[in-house]
């Protein structure tokens, strides 16, 4: 390593979209000659890719940024970048709070990082938050894993759930072309990747904005069609997709998942609330009955499918009775995993302005009660794995026990077993499950 070599560091907050964006931005930086530094304090360029989904996510970002802004006073050559959803939400305002920033860039600008940095290196302080058409990235992402990869298929979201900042910060839906997606996946297959997760905030919307309709008036490019198209790409053994919206989820998609062996029988379909009045206030566009029908339909094709979801407690005006309907739904469905959150009022969203906000005490009490039920149900769901033989795709070593490797079942359960990571990385291994916990499994390999 020479001292003239420039180093970069990226810290990523938030969802898989941000992680995928960070991998592309890291690819761009490496193309520009930067080297990765695990320690932000050893980097000449620091990029925070930020999340604003809830207030605590946003506050975390400010505390990180504050620390690096101080460092910049001692090291004026440090380049400080805030990217992602907080950058988009705050825009120029963030410069008033942290004038040390060199670049503020929204998620739609991720692929433009090199252009933007050139302006910075010319001595400008740059804010890039205007809505744009997202250009294809021609550099190779620096992916965290060599086994599993994310592929964006649609950016943005056209829904207007009354609590959610995502449409404000990610912009309108923009689907990538099937050709671009296919090309990226084909390359991943050649590079030895075994599993791909297709990404979109509302993945069922894929293709709505692309030209072309079928004879029956359906959009020509849908998620279902895409799954059929990419299924035979050599090397790729597993396909996943997220996130599904109950309003647009189709039986055609369920059938495709059932028919196509590489598509994992795992569905991530947030329901948010088990109460119809609350769902209406959230502007979700479905009822809990419709949600239950979707899950029944999935289970009628694939009885063992694993189901995960997101839920919010303490939405404005939520009564104890309405909250209990969420508990009821969780009890009835039996999720394999549920991401839960207390409602957090977000700037620029309708629900934040309502005067029927609940107290923090009520929200955290409900969150605790829901989480308790969730682990209980997940532990019950885990029982079905005991004694079974599952196929596990080995991703990494177990950092807590170096004699073990870790991977996931098709249903996305984290699984540990004895083995050497150097030999097993990227392999699909049959594992007999001998121990089950709420969210993970242990087993013995059958070679
Ligand atoms: N597009 C996905 C989810 C995007 S955000 C969907 O439609 O479900 C991820 C999750 O964060 C949401 O599912 C929701 O459960 C949660 N979330 C979003 N806004 C929130 C808010 N204001 N307060 C608490 N949780 C929120
Ligand atoms: Fe947010 Fe709703 Fe869009 Fe999901 S579908 S990202 S919750 S607005
Ligand atoms: Fe957060 Fe932005 Fe994702 S707000 S959850 S990083 S889309």
């Amino acid at each position: 390593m020479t001292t003239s070599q420039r180093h970069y560091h990226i810290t990523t907050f938030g969802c898989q979209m941000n992680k995928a964006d960070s991998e592309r931005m890291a690819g761009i930086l490496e193309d520009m000659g930067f080297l990765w530094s695990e320690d932000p304090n050893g980097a000449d360029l620091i990029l925070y890719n930020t999340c604003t989904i809830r207030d605590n996510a946003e506050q975390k970002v400010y505390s990180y940024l504050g620390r690096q802004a101080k460092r910049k006073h001692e090291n004026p050559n440090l380049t400080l970048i805030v990217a992602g959803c907080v950058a988009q939400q705050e825009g120029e305002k963030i410069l008033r709070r942290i004038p040390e920033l060199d670049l503020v860039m929204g998620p739609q600008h991720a692929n433009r990082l090199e252009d933007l940095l050139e302006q910075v290196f010319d001595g400008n302080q740059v804010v890039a938050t205007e809505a744009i058409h997202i250009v294809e990235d021609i550099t190779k992402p620096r992916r965290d894993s060599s086994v599993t990869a994310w592929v964006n298929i649609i950016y943005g979201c056209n829904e207007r759930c009354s609590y959610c900042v995502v449409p404000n910060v990610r912009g309108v839906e923009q689907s990538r072309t099937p050709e671009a997606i296919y090309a990226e996946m084909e390359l991943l297959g050649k590079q030895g990747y075994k599993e791909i997760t297709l990404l979109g905030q509302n993945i069922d919307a894929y293709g709505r904005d692309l030209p072309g309709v079928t004879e029956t008036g359906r959009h020509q490019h849908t998620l279902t069609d895409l799954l059929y198209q990419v299924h035979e790409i050599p090397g790729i053994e597993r396909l996943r997709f997220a996130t599904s919206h109950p309003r647009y989820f189709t039986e055609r998609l369920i059938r495709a998942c059932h028919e196509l062996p590489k598509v994992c029988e795992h569905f991530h379909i947030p329901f948010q609330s088990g109460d119809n009045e609350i769902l209406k206030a959230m502007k979700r566009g479905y009822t809990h009955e419709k949600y239950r029908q979707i899950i029944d339909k999935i289970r009628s094709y694939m009885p063992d499918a694993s189901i995960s979801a997101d839920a919010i407690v303490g939405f404005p005006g939520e009564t104890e009775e309405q909250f209990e309907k969420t508990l009821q739904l969780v009890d009835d469905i039996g999720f394999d995993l549920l991401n839960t959150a207390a409602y957090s009022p977000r700037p620029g969203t309708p629900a934040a302005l309502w005067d029927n906000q609940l107290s923090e005490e009520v929200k955290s009490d409900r969150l605790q009660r829901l989480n308790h039920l969730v682990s209980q149900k997940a532990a019950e769901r885990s029982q079905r794995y005991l004694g079974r033989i599952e196929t596990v795709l080995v991703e990494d070593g177990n950092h807590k026990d170096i004699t073990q490797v870790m991977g996931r079942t098709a249903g996305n359960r984290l699984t540990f077993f004895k083995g050497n990571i150097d030999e097993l990385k990227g392999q699909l291994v049959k594992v007999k499950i001998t121990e089950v916990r709420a969210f993970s499994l242990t087993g013995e390999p059958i070679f």
Side-chain angles (χ1 to χ4, degrees), residues 6-13 18 21-22 24-30 32 34 36 40 43-51 60-72 75-88 90-91 94-95 98-121 124-129:
R6 293 174 301 171
H7 284 76
Y8 77 100
H9 172 87
I10 298 182
T11 294
T12 308
F13 304 88
N18 259 18
D21 289 348
S22 285
R24 289 202 312 279
M25 292 192 283
I28 293 171
L29 289 170
E30 298 210 347
M32 293 174 71
F34 282 89
W36 168 252
D44 316 285
L45 180 151
I46 299 177
L47 186 155
Y48 288 113
N49 197 9
T50 62
C51 173
K60 201 152 77 181
V61 169
Y62 285 117
S63 89
Y64 276 62
L65 277 173
R67 243 172 286 151
Q68 292 305 334
K70 268 201 204 123
R71 230 186 101 213
K72 191 158 170 158
N75 176 7
N77 290 329
L78 178 69
T79 304
L80 203 50
I81 306 173
V82 55
C85 297
V86 173
Q88 185 65 42
E90 297 300 309
I94 204 167
L95 294 178
I98 310 165
E100 293 86 352
L101 286 170
D102 295 289
L103 170 59
V104 179
M105 55 187 287
Q108 295 189 336
H109 294 263
N111 297 352
R112 295 187 56 223
L113 180 59
E114 183 167 4
D115 277 4
L116 297 171
L117 274 177
E118 272 164 17
Q119 296 173 41
V120 169
F121 295 145
N124 301 305
Q125 191 177 39
V126 180
V127 177
T129 50

Side-chain angles (χ1 to χ4, degrees), residues 209-228:
D209 57 321
L210 294 175
V213 283
T214 63
E215 281 166 15
T216 54
R218 175 166 72 64
H219 287 285
Q220 197 172 346
H221 304 290
T222 66
L223 172 61
T224 309
D225 296 295
L226 189 69
L227 287 175
Y228 280 103

Side-chain angles (χ1 to χ4, degrees), residues 245-317:
H245 195 303
R247 184 159 160 198
Y248 304 103
F249 203 83
T250 63
E251 186 164 356
R252 220 179 134 244
L253 177 63
I254 301 176
R255 273 204 304 274
C257 298
H258 179 51
E259 267 171 39
L260 296 170
K262 291 182 188 170
V263 179
C264 294
E265 296 187 349
H266 169 224
F267 299 86
H268 183 67
I269 321 177
F271 63 89
Q272 313 300 4
S273 165
D275 180 79
N276 287 347
E277 285 300 311
I278 295 292
L279 285 170
K280 201 170 191 176
M282 287 177 162
K283 296 241 176 324
R284 290 288 290 178
Y286 55 86
T287 59
H288 78 89
E289 289 90 351
K290 161 96 192 277
Y291 186 83
R292 287 166 193 267
Q293 277 164 15
I294 293 170
I295 306 301
D296 286 348
K297 193 55 102 191
I298 291 173
R299 288 182 168 158
S300 74
Y301 282 88
M302 295 160 270
D304 194 49
S306 113
I307 312 282
S308 61
D310 303 345
I312 299 175
V313 302
F315 188 74

